[in-house]
Amino acid sequence: MDRLKDKVAIVTGAASGFGEGMARRFAEEGAKVVVADLNAKGAARVAEEIGKQAIAVTTDVSQRAEIDEAVYAAKSAFGRVDVMVNNAGYTHRNGDLLEVDEPTFDLIAAINMKAIYFSTLAVVPMMERQGGGVIINTASTAGLRPRPGLTWYNASKGWVITATKSMAVELAPKKIRVNCLCPVAGETGMLAQFMGEDTPERRAQFKSVIPLGRFSTPLDIANAALWLASDEAAFITGVALEVDGGRCV
């Protein structure tokens, strides 16, 4: 239970869903965790339930100053940042690509894409001084096998995958590993948006293309993130890891 002993991790979007799963799993394996989320009450709940090795910060990842504040909070509380998990995400409702308005498109770009740029600016210099680090981005199977009705979300996750690979190549000499996770649709707050409507019929339709026959869970994603963050994956960088029950086969 000590695969991340003495490591400090920031997890964005950690008040619920995949992010909460990662924060809890990292803490179980010895990490100190910064639970970062726009949902202040949710972040505080998760950090309190984890215990003294976690702190909560209210973070709008679309704002560079707030990401900088999260990194500052991590350094102030725990002295360093070893793992940066860019997990916060946003999507438009499943439907006609022509009906997605510009403010929604801009939010998708800001949260799914630009936030990774901001966090990279904030943590890479610190990681380089420390002798290395790990960056994990949450992408999606949507970036590999796009689903109809989610075009602009799909495109943002394709961007995450390409950015991850390019970051990995450029940051390798600094001993910073960069990988991304590609979950299939999961039991999170965004599921209804992905499906367009949450009905038994739509759930069955989405599950029908997953060979293992179920949605992903926060624990599925957390276990994959844990491995990528740990020294067990010391020679793994630039990978888009499919955590998808066979969806992308």
Side-chain angles (χ1 to χ4, degrees):
M1 302 293 286
D2 61 356
R3 283 187 281 176
L4 296 183
K5 184 179 180 182
D6 299 325
K7 302 290 187 183
V8 177
I10 299 173
V11 183
T12 69
S16 61
F18 295 156
E20 178 177 354
M22 288 186 238
R24 292 180 181 278
R25 192 73 185 90
F26 284 13
E28 288 173 355
E29 291 287 345
K32 298 177 177 66
V33 182
V34 176
V35 180
D37 203 292
L38 186 60
N39 177 353
K41 288 185 178 179
R45 173 188 60 81
V46 173
E48 182 178 357
E49 290 174 1
I50 289 173
K52 63 182 179 180
Q53 68 199 82
I55 62 169
V57 293
T58 306
T59 306
D60 179 350
V61 298
S62 71
Q63 304 299 313
R64 180 176 179 177
E66 297 202 18
I67 290 181
D68 287 343
E69 288 172 9
V71 173
Y72 179 79
K75 188 174 181 181
S76 297
F78 304 125
R80 56 190 294 123
V81 176
D82 300 287
V83 182
M84 179 74 220
V85 182
N86 295 298
N87 171 73
Y90 189 75
T91 185
H92 55 87
R93 182 173 292 277
N94 191 304
D96 189 336
L97 61 85
L98 298 178
E99 294 181 1
V100 176
D101 60 31
E102 187 175 356
T104 300
F105 180 93
D106 287 345
L107 265 178
I108 291 168
I111 295 171
N112 296 358
M113 298 162 58
K114 200 170 186 180
I116 295 175
Y117 164 68
F118 288 152
S119 73
T120 299
L121 296 179
V123 301
V124 164
M126 184 187 306
M127 289 179 174
E128 184 177 11
R129 288 193 298 270
Q130 293 167 182
V134 176
I135 297 172
I136 300 172
N137 302 317
T138 299
S140 172
T141 55
L144 298 168
R145 291 190 64 188
R147 288 183 182 271
L150 291 168
T151 288
W152 308 122
Y153 172 80
N154 296 340
S156 74
K157 292 305 186 178
W159 183 96
V160 173
I161 293 166
T162 299
T164 294
K165 291 177 179 293
S166 188
M167 290 166 65
V169 171
E170 187 163 345
L171 295 177
K174 303 180 189 297
K175 307 303 180 188
I176 298 171
R177 297 189 295 107
V178 188
N179 294 290
C180 66
L181 299 165
C182 294
V184 76
E187 297 280 5
T188 71
M190 291 173 67
L191 181 59
Q193 294 284 89
F194 290 142
M195 295 189 298
E197 57 178 350
D198 193 349
T199 65
E201 293 76 18
R202 288 294 279 170
R203 283 180 173 246
Q205 181 183 356
F206 267 61
K207 287 181 183 178
S208 70
V209 297
I210 303 172
L212 287 182
R214 66 172 175 83
F215 292 125
S216 65
T217 69
L219 184 59
D220 292 325
I221 311 309
N223 281 331
L226 170 64
W227 179 68
L228 288 175
S230 76
D231 290 341
E232 294 170 10
F235 201 54
I236 306 299
T237 197
V239 165
L241 181 60
E242 299 160 19
V243 190
D244 66 351
R247 153 77 174 155
C248 289
V249 172

